[in-house]
Amino acid sequence: MYTLGIDIGSTTSKCAILDDGAELVGYSLEIGGLGTDGPATAIAKLWESCGLTASDIARTTVTGYGRMKFEGADDEASELTCHALGGRYVYPQLRTVIDIGGQDAKVISLSEDGRMSNFVMNDKCAAGTGRFLDVMANILKMDVNDFGACAAASTEEVSISSTCTVFAESEVISQLANGVKREDLVAGICNSVAVRVAALARRAGVKELVCMSGGVAKNEAVRRALEKSLEVDIAFDPRAQYFGAIGAALYSYNKLMKQKR
Ligand code: ADP
């Protein structure tokens, strides 16, 4: 029995299919979230990659920033619920999820039995989210995907003192004009995001096992800086950006199981 999870974010759309709530049979991603053709394209890509069609799906859950506007799912579930479920699917011992997406960041605490016990989020300020990194990549004329490798070459990390994205943008422009090396700036930019998210995490409470979810999990420099700031190991799975979609597919499966009982 296949269930589908769709996570419509602010910048990307992700889909995942689970078989009997266990095997991940397919997943897909398309740039473009709410208000774009991203969700439809991500779904089309999914059918193509796993050879299934809509008629094979027993139940669908939509989550994410764009979930309210999506028609065609049986259920909708909050991002908090889905990231917690998706994280726990990959790490059964999970107690803390640090989710950094394109426009917000959330820290979710789980009890031993996997229930959400607390959360703290920042959806008001771009600093401490993927948006900050995307803006900086644009100034530096870089691809944000290369930030991790670039920061790893830093020898003298530059501290970004501005707490506001707009001011930080000017700060980076003037540092560049002063001849500061790109890798040192990128290391400072990634650290600045990590410091903000670490403050959120401390408010939520950090218990191990800790993992990251969301697209920024792929940025190794942010991950390492978070580990340093929080003094914990942070688990990383290459499917971290899909945790919301995986959790949504699991949510559908759990609903079906409840109905059967
Ligand atoms: P949303 O769900 O809000 O659309 P995502 O969780 O998909 O957000 O994350 C999008 C963010 O992830 C982008 O803003 C970008 O900064 C970051 N990102 C995506 N892929 C990568 C990558 N390969 N390396 C570094 N950062 C990435």
Side-chain angles (χ1 to χ4, degrees), residues 7-14 29 31-34 64-65 79 83 99-104 106 129-134 143-148 213-220 240-242:
D7 177 6
I8 305 175
S10 57
T11 60
T12 60
S13 300
K14 286 81 60 178
L29 178 149
I31 305 286
L34 176 64
Y65 185 69
E79 288 161 270
H83 280 269
D99 168 40
I100 316 180
Q103 241 160 42
D104 63 13
K106 318 173 195 66
T129 74
R131 177 82 189 129
F132 184 86
L133 297 163
D134 297 342
D143 190 325
V144 78
N145 298 4
D146 300 327
F147 267 21
S213 69
V216 177
K218 290 197 211 152
N219 182 327
E220 204 178 336
Q241 199 168 4
Y242 299 91

Side-chain angles (χ1 to χ4, degrees), residues 6-10 12 14 61 63-65 67 77-91 94-102 104-110 114 116 119 121 211-217 239-251:
I6 305 169
D7 177 6
I8 305 175
S10 57
T12 60
K14 286 81 60 178
T61 294
T63 186
Y65 185 69
R67 69 181 188 277
S78 80
E79 288 161 270
L80 295 165
T81 300
C82 292
H83 280 269
L85 280 171
R88 192 89 172 179
Y89 166 86
V90 176
Y91 305 106
L94 188 66
R95 299 294 300 276
T96 310
V97 185
I98 300 176
D99 168 40
I100 316 180
D104 63 13
K106 318 173 195 66
V107 180
I108 310 163
S109 304
L110 305 175
M116 185 166 55
F119 76 90
M121 77 187 283
C211 84
M212 278 186 79
S213 69
V216 177
R239 299 163 298 182
Q241 199 168 4
Y242 299 91
F243 282 7
I246 294 170
L250 208 48
Y251 184 90

Side-chain angles (χ1 to χ4, degrees), residues 29-182:
L29 178 149
E30 181 64 23
I31 305 286
L34 176 64
T36 72
D37 59 4
T41 310
I43 294 167
K45 272 185 173 176
L46 183 71
W47 302 143
E48 210 172 294
S49 69
C50 66
L52 296 170
T53 66
S55 60
D56 295 312
I57 305 299
R59 202 171 178 105
T60 300
T61 294
V62 64
T63 186
Y65 185 69
R67 69 181 188 277
M68 307 290 190
K69 297 258 161 76
F70 184 82
E71 287 168 13
D74 302 291
D75 303 294
E76 59 177 68
S78 80
E79 288 161 270
L80 295 165
T81 300
C82 292
H83 280 269
L85 280 171
R88 192 89 172 179
Y89 166 86
V90 176
Y91 305 106
Q93 308 300 325
L94 188 66
R95 299 294 300 276
T96 310
V97 185
I98 300 176
D99 168 40
I100 316 180
Q103 241 160 42
D104 63 13
K106 318 173 195 66
V107 180
I108 310 163
S109 304
L110 305 175
S111 59
E112 240 169 290
D113 62 4
R115 264 180 267 187
M116 185 166 55
S117 55
N118 194 16
F119 76 90
V120 179
M121 77 187 283
N122 162 29
D123 59 356
K124 301 275 182 288
C125 168
T129 74
R131 177 82 189 129
F132 184 86
L133 297 163
D134 297 342
V135 165
M136 297 306 163
N138 196 30
I139 295 171
L140 296 166
K141 301 205 174 359
M142 281 180 71
D143 190 325
V144 78
N145 298 4
D146 300 327
F147 267 21
C150 180
S154 165
T155 51
E156 223 174 310
E157 185 180 310
V158 169
S159 164
I160 308 292
S161 57
S162 307
T163 48
C164 161
T165 306
V166 178
F167 290 142
E169 209 174 340
S170 315
E171 193 178 336
V172 168
I173 290 169
S174 66
Q175 296 274 26
L176 270 178
N178 289 338
V180 172
K181 282 201 228 139
R182 214 161 64 151

Side-chain angles (χ1 to χ4, degrees), residues 207-229:
K207 284 208 175 107
E208 294 189 74
L209 200 144
V210 183
C211 84
M212 278 186 79
S213 69
V216 177
K218 290 197 211 152
N219 182 327
E220 204 178 336
V222 172
R223 225 166 62 231
R224 298 275 170 256
L226 263 171
E227 285 184 323
K228 202 168 152 199
S229 177

